[in-house]
Amino acid sequence: MLKDLINRLTSDELKDILEIQHAFDIAQALDELDEEEKKTVINLLSMDKLTEVLSYLEPEIAADILSTYSLLHQKVLVSELDPDDAADIINELEEENKNELLKILDKDEEVLSLIQYDESLAGAYMTNAFVKVNISDDVKQATKKVIDIAEDVSTIQTIFVVDHDNHYCGEIPLKTLLKSKYPLTVKEILTVEPTFHVNDGIDNLLKHIKHYGNTEVGIVDEENRLLGIITQDDVLDIYLEETQEDYEKLAALPDTDFKEGSFKTAMHRIPWLLILLTISIPSAFVTSNFTGILGTFVILAFFQPLILDAGGDVASQTLAVTLIELTKKDSKVISNGFKEILTGVINGFVMGLISFLITIIFSYVLHFDHGVWIGLSVGLSLWITVIIGPILGFFIPLFIKMLKFDPAVASGPFITNLIDILSNVVYFSLATIILGGFVA
């Protein structure tokens, strides 16, 4: 739509339309434009609208746009952005540009206190633009402070309370403050909510927010001084980033960058694929050691994919359930893990019985001798494999968690390859034991 408007309207007409459009819609529409059209749109945006649009763009894209302006213009834009958004964008600038910009920012610029935090820490996502009142204030004084600062902060839904040394004392919902009458004081209406440490990891922050249900979370230092807050929109961004990261780990993918070309993407992925390829070599080696039984009973090769796929499927299901359980505060990971294993025993028996009957039918139709014994080899192998799958899917992430690593690194491809090796060993070993007497 925006592309069409650029071609049909005059600059003044387009500028008027851009001013009444939501900044998110403009940010989304920029993806459809070529470089010249993007430049046209950006040049028509007012300063206020441009900062809004930048805040909705991915930080690396916003940084590319910011870097097209002079340093003085960059300084103005950064001062207009919310501090947490500004910090994200500055961190995506080229190192030289970033250092030059930081040098000319005012020393009291709030973004400077946020730049220092690593993106894996809570401090990187907090904003220091929020409503703060003193514990000695009465409700009239507190209400006046909210009114005075409302235009300059991210949210006014929660008012944070500190003492004279900026120590966190509690918080007040805006609704509660507005309903309170003088001479009540802030101290009389505040509630103390759990806060979060600035240097703690965002994985724990997400669990904290989920468990306590906060819409805004106070971020404090070692001495319980209130440094900033995490807002609801920040939480949604963190959830999105963490979900993508966990999915990448489960799929054994390196960090995904959608701006990279095919060659760079391939170069990032090839090490992981080579690792998985190396892990899969033992599976081929196992098969090569059973050429005798395979040569006599060729039908075993027909059912090999069935055995391998079933084990990998149930392992991946148990892995997903275990990872979900490990994120819960009231987790019953052990009991649920054993329930998964028992489920594997039951499912494996049913699947093994069905495959036993199907194998006998296939053997009869294809005129293979010893159909019952071949069916027993396939059915029993499938049962055992479907039991092994949930055992690995449960114990591997649990073990990784005990070592203080992220259990999501127990990726699906890794466990699937491990299952393939064990499934082949089980399948051909049982086939050799059961059918070995029939080999000439």
Side-chain angles (χ1 to χ4, degrees):
M1 178 182 173
L2 187 55
K3 193 177 187 75
D4 182 53
L5 292 176
I6 292 172
N7 297 324
R8 288 195 300 105
L9 302 179
T10 66
S11 294
D12 288 339
E13 290 171 331
L14 182 58
K15 185 174 183 178
D16 290 340
I17 288 177
L18 290 172
E19 281 303 307
I20 62 175
Q21 268 199 309
H22 196 285
F24 174 78
D25 294 328
I26 298 174
Q28 291 293 103
L30 287 177
D31 284 339
E32 304 169 6
L33 307 180
D34 60 35
E35 291 304 314
E36 195 59 38
E37 290 167 336
K38 280 183 186 177
K39 189 174 179 181
T40 299
V41 170
I42 290 168
N43 287 338
L44 289 175
L45 297 175
S46 66
M47 182 68 69
D48 288 342
K49 183 64 76 171
L50 177 57
T51 53
E52 283 186 68
V53 171
L54 290 176
S55 69
Y56 281 111
L57 291 169
E58 290 295 321
E60 58 269 23
I61 297 173
D64 288 342
I65 294 173
L66 185 66
S67 63
T68 62
Y69 292 96
S70 68
L71 276 176
L72 288 177
H73 204 154
Q74 289 179 33
K75 177 185 175 183
V76 174
L77 286 169
V78 165
S79 65
E80 292 294 321
L81 284 163
D82 286 342
D84 53 335
D85 291 329
D88 291 339
I89 295 170
I90 291 173
N91 279 328
E92 294 294 334
L93 291 170
E94 295 291 335
E95 199 63 31
E96 185 179 350
N97 188 181
K98 175 181 173 180
N99 292 333
E100 288 177 350
L101 178 57
L102 291 176
K103 283 179 185 176
I104 67 168
L105 289 178
D106 297 333
K107 298 210 179 297
D108 60 347
E109 193 72 58
E110 293 174 330
V111 68
L112 293 174
S113 64
L114 304 182
I115 290 287
Q116 59 183 301
Y117 297 106
D118 186 87
E119 63 178 8
S120 64
L121 303 178
Y125 296 88
M126 70 179 181
T127 177
N128 40 26
F130 62 99
V131 181
K132 183 169 61 175
V133 298
N134 197 279
I135 195 167
S136 62
D137 291 341
D138 59 42
V139 293
K140 274 187 179 180
Q141 293 170 315
T143 303
K144 186 177 184 306
K145 285 182 179 179
V146 173
I147 294 169
D148 290 342
I149 200 174
E151 189 177 348
D152 302 317
V153 297
S154 303
T155 175
I156 60 171
Q157 296 305 309
T158 304
I159 294 91
F160 288 82
V161 183
V162 296
D163 63 15
H164 292 289
D165 295 316
N166 200 43
H167 294 113
Y168 173 86
C169 297
E171 48 204 74
I172 307 166
L174 177 64
K175 183 178 179 180
T176 300
L177 178 63
L178 296 178
K179 288 168 61 178
S180 301
K181 304 295 183 183
Y182 181 82
L184 283 173
T185 64
V186 164
K187 186 175 182 179
E188 293 175 279
I189 60 173
L190 66 78
T191 58
V192 179
E193 298 288 343
T195 55
F196 200 77
H197 193 274
V198 68
N199 286 318
D200 279 347
I202 53 173
D203 284 341
N204 292 328
L205 172 64
L206 293 178
K207 292 178 186 176
H208 174 97
I209 292 168
K210 177 184 176 184
H211 297 154
Y212 293 105
N214 307 62
T215 52
E216 283 87 34
V217 180
I219 306 297
V220 299
D221 63 11
E222 292 84 355
E223 298 179 15
N224 201 39
R225 288 190 294 255
L226 186 62
L227 302 180
I229 68 169
I230 299 283
T231 61
Q232 200 166 31
D233 61 326
D234 295 323
V235 172
L236 291 173
D237 290 339
I238 297 170
Y239 265 117
L240 179 61
E241 289 174 16
E242 287 300 289
T243 301
Q244 178 177 318
E245 183 182 323
D246 285 347
Y247 187 82
E248 288 168 350
K249 288 176 181 176
L250 281 170
L253 277 173
D255 290 342
T256 303
D257 186 347
F258 294 103
K259 294 199 301 179
E260 285 186 346
S262 298
F263 182 77
K264 277 192 174 182
T265 301
M267 289 301 99
H268 279 147
R269 292 183 186 178
I270 196 67
W272 293 96
L273 294 174
L274 289 175
I275 290 170
L276 293 172
L277 180 63
T278 303
I279 293 172
S280 67
I281 289 174
S283 182
F285 178 75
V286 168
T287 306
S288 70
N289 280 280
F290 293 95
T291 52
I293 197 75
L294 269 173
T296 305
F297 296 96
V298 180
I299 193 173
L300 291 174
F302 182 82
F303 291 102
Q304 186 183 13
L306 171 71
I307 305 294
L308 301 182
D309 289 347
D313 291 342
V314 294
S316 297
Q317 289 171 347
T318 302
L319 174 63
V321 171
T322 303
L323 291 175
I324 291 169
E325 279 298 315
L326 288 172
T327 65
K328 293 181 179 178
K329 183 181 181 182
D330 55 347
S331 173
K332 298 177 180 177
V333 65
I334 301 297
S335 61
N336 278 300
F338 283 108
K339 184 177 76 173
E340 285 293 313
I341 294 170
L342 181 59
T343 301
V345 172
I346 297 168
N347 287 339
F349 177 77
V350 174
M351 293 168 70
L353 182 60
I354 293 171
S355 63
F356 168 70
L357 297 173
I358 290 173
T359 305
I360 293 174
I361 295 170
F362 264 81
S363 299
Y364 176 77
V365 171
L366 299 174
H367 306 294
F368 280 95
D369 296 329
H370 317 297
V372 173
W373 298 105
I374 295 172
L376 183 61
S377 300
V378 174
L380 194 56
S381 297
L382 186 61
W383 187 14
I384 294 172
T385 299
V386 173
I387 294 172
I388 292 173
I391 291 174
L392 292 180
F394 168 57
F395 280 108
I396 288 178
L398 188 62
F399 177 69
I400 292 173
K401 177 74 172 179
M402 289 170 62
L403 294 177
K404 307 296 184 186
F405 293 109
D406 185 350
V409 300
S411 70
F414 171 74
I415 286 185
T416 300
N417 275 302
L418 191 56
I419 283 288
D420 286 350
I421 296 168
L422 295 175
S423 298
N424 275 328
V425 170
V426 169
Y427 184 37
F428 292 119
S429 296
L430 279 174
T432 302
I433 293 169
I434 295 170
L435 300 170
F438 302 113
V439 178

